[in-house]
Amino acid sequence: MGHSTDTWAERKRDLTEESSSRWAGSITKATHDQWALSRRAQLAHIQGLKAGIATIAHRLSLPVGEKGTKGSAGGYHTRQEWFTKSRRLRVLEDRLSKEQADWEAGRVRVVRGGKRLARNRHNLQAAQLTEEQWQKRWKAKRWFLAADGESGKKYGNETIRVTPGGEVSPRWRVWPTKRPDRCGHQRRSPGRVAPGRARQPLRRASAVLLRPFRRRPAP
């Protein structure tokens, strides 16, 4: 399925070459956690479908109008209700087969920004939004940064530091100045890459997700 602790570490190493270990971990962890959350929701949905199918199938197997017992549902009250539920059973079975196929293939369906907001784009009038308002919300929902808190660091986070005055200070990787070699090709100066920090006023506060470090209380 391509999603495990080992594959996550491999993706982080590949991305570290293009950025830094700090940001590679932040980016890959966000996508990995989103996939894992979707898998748990997918499994819960499959279990719910199975429970619904079992209940309906049991009630359909009973005579119409038969009363239930304690802890067990009886038959449906009318023939019309029995017919409606039989059609409902086929719908649930079809959904279950599709969900199980996705589960076995390790495929999840995720909309970054939210499925509800994506659907609102097709009916802006009902959502009481203009196209410009929808675009602003869509970009804000899809644009985010996440960084785990760190013990002993100033303000509890070294990757994305937010001061009490509302100043955001992300930590970037600063590449050394390039210089040409004897053949005229650009090459990087030798030496260790030094981290840098850029300061800017706090903007889009709702789009910046910080995970502050909290010590667990002693048992």
Side-chain angles (χ1 to χ4, degrees):
M1 291 183 293
H3 285 78
S4 64
T5 304
D6 295 335
T7 56
W8 175 28
E10 183 178 354
R11 290 169 55 223
K12 180 182 176 181
R13 285 193 297 269
D14 294 340
L15 190 58
T16 299
E17 298 178 359
E18 302 296 332
S19 56
S20 67
S21 177
R22 183 180 298 276
W23 283 108
S26 176
I27 295 171
T28 55
K29 187 177 188 302
T31 56
H32 185 83
D33 289 349
Q34 191 173 33
W35 182 88
L37 177 61
S38 300
R39 287 286 285 178
R40 292 194 296 270
Q42 188 180 51
L43 178 60
H45 184 47
I46 290 175
Q47 292 173 343
L49 288 173
K50 288 182 178 180
I53 289 172
T55 300
I56 294 177
H58 169 70
R59 297 192 68 182
L60 288 175
S61 65
L62 300 176
V64 175
E66 181 174 328
K67 295 183 178 180
T69 59
K70 187 176 181 180
S72 179
Y76 290 107
H77 298 290
T78 62
R79 293 292 302 176
Q80 182 179 1
E81 186 181 9
W82 188 97
F83 176 73
T84 302
K85 292 299 182 179
S86 65
R87 298 185 64 183
R88 175 65 175 172
L89 179 63
R90 300 296 177 265
V91 172
L92 294 181
E93 289 175 341
D94 183 60
R95 290 181 183 175
L96 178 61
S97 62
K98 293 180 180 178
E99 290 295 334
Q100 286 180 329
D102 287 344
W103 174 263
E104 294 173 359
R107 181 172 53 248
V108 296
R109 306 180 189 279
V110 178
V111 180
R112 176 165 290 182
K115 185 186 297 184
R116 179 179 299 178
L117 187 59
R119 289 177 175 174
N120 287 343
R121 178 63 181 86
H122 304 290
N123 199 349
L124 295 176
Q125 186 176 1
Q128 298 180 350
L129 293 172
T130 64
E131 184 174 352
E132 184 179 358
Q133 290 173 336
W134 182 89
Q135 286 287 352
K136 288 182 179 179
R137 292 189 182 185
W138 181 247
K139 290 179 180 179
K141 286 287 188 179
R142 290 171 60 86
W143 189 89
F144 72 97
L145 294 175
D148 289 331
E150 299 170 271
S151 175
K153 298 297 182 179
K154 190 175 182 180
Y155 302 125
N157 199 295
E158 183 72 12
T159 305
I160 307 174
R161 182 178 296 169
V162 182
T163 67
E167 185 182 58
V168 177
S169 179
R171 189 179 183 90
W172 306 112
R173 180 174 183 176
V174 180
W175 292 101
T177 305
K178 295 181 180 180
R179 61 182 183 182
D181 57 15
R182 295 180 180 179
C183 299
H185 298 292
Q186 296 290 332
R187 66 179 183 180
R188 302 187 187 280
S189 301
R192 189 174 181 180
V193 177
R197 185 173 292 281
R199 298 183 181 276
Q200 59 183 5
L202 179 60
R203 292 181 295 178
R204 290 188 182 181
S206 61
V208 179
L209 174 62
L210 301 178
R211 302 191 185 103
F213 177 85
R214 294 184 177 88
R215 293 185 180 275
R216 294 183 178 179

